[in-house]
Amino acid sequence: GDAAFDRRYCRPTSFLLLLSVALSVLLAINLVSATIQNRDLQYHGHDRRLRVSCGIVQTLLLALVEAGMIADAPIAALVVVGKICAFLYFYLGGRLDAARRWTFMTVPGLWEVHDNFHVLVLSVHCLQVYAAGLPRRDGGRFAAIC
């Protein structure tokens, strides 16, 4: 959460920034390609693996940057763990092709695993909003990352 961290992440040649942009471009190309070829992104194996892989890396990159900007270590850890747990919750038990379809706290046809995933993510976002108001390690505010 210091000025050196800001410069490392925010400069145009930052590895983390370039990796994040490259993954976004890769996903955009995949979406355009699938649309042109009339492929269903939900069921085509290659497309799903690519989206999941990019999603995992993007989630970890975002968690790394956010945790680096939050001065309160327990809150930073909760943000990282919350993001990873929410992603794993959906990946392991909520996907259409998951090995086990979780039914805990679901009402078939009304409230599904996907809805629980959004509640988990909402709780992480609320924690992030709280953390945004806390002073950063360098005395600045979280909202002024770059």
Side-chain angles (χ1 to χ4, degrees), residues 54-118:
C54 287
I56 290 170
V57 175
Q58 290 278 27
T59 300
L60 292 175
L61 285 174
L62 186 58
L64 171 71
V65 170
E66 290 168 347
M69 301 307 295
I70 298 173
D72 189 314
I75 292 177
L78 279 173
V79 166
V80 172
V81 170
K83 282 181 176 291
I84 292 169
C85 287
F87 190 87
L88 286 174
Y89 171 78
F90 186 75
Y91 182 76
L92 296 174
R95 295 176 301 140
L96 295 173
D97 61 347
R100 301 185 77 191
R101 295 284 298 177
W102 293 344
T103 57
F104 178 70
M105 294 188 66
T106 63
V107 178
L110 180 65
W111 190 268
E112 302 288 341
V113 171
H114 188 87
D115 302 302
N116 287 335
F117 166 76
H118 285 286

Side-chain angles (χ1 to χ4, degrees), residues 1 20 24 31 36 42 56 82 84 86 89 91 105 111 126 141:
S20 180
S24 297
L31 178 62
I36 290 170
Q42 289 292 338
I56 290 170
I84 292 169
Y89 171 78
Y91 182 76
M105 294 188 66
W111 190 268
C126 288
R141 292 286 176 192

Side-chain angles (χ1 to χ4, degrees), residues 8-29 50-51 53-66 83 145-146:
R8 265 194 328 272
Y9 181 75
C10 297
R11 71 177 198 274
T13 58
S14 161
F15 173 74
L16 295 177
L17 183 62
L18 293 174
L19 178 60
S20 180
V21 169
L23 291 171
S24 297
V25 168
L26 184 61
L27 286 172
I29 290 169
L50 176 68
R51 285 184 17 244
S53 299
C54 287
I56 290 170
V57 175
Q58 290 278 27
T59 300
L60 292 175
L61 285 174
L62 186 58
L64 171 71
V65 170
E66 290 168 347
K83 282 181 176 291
I145 188 172
C146 293

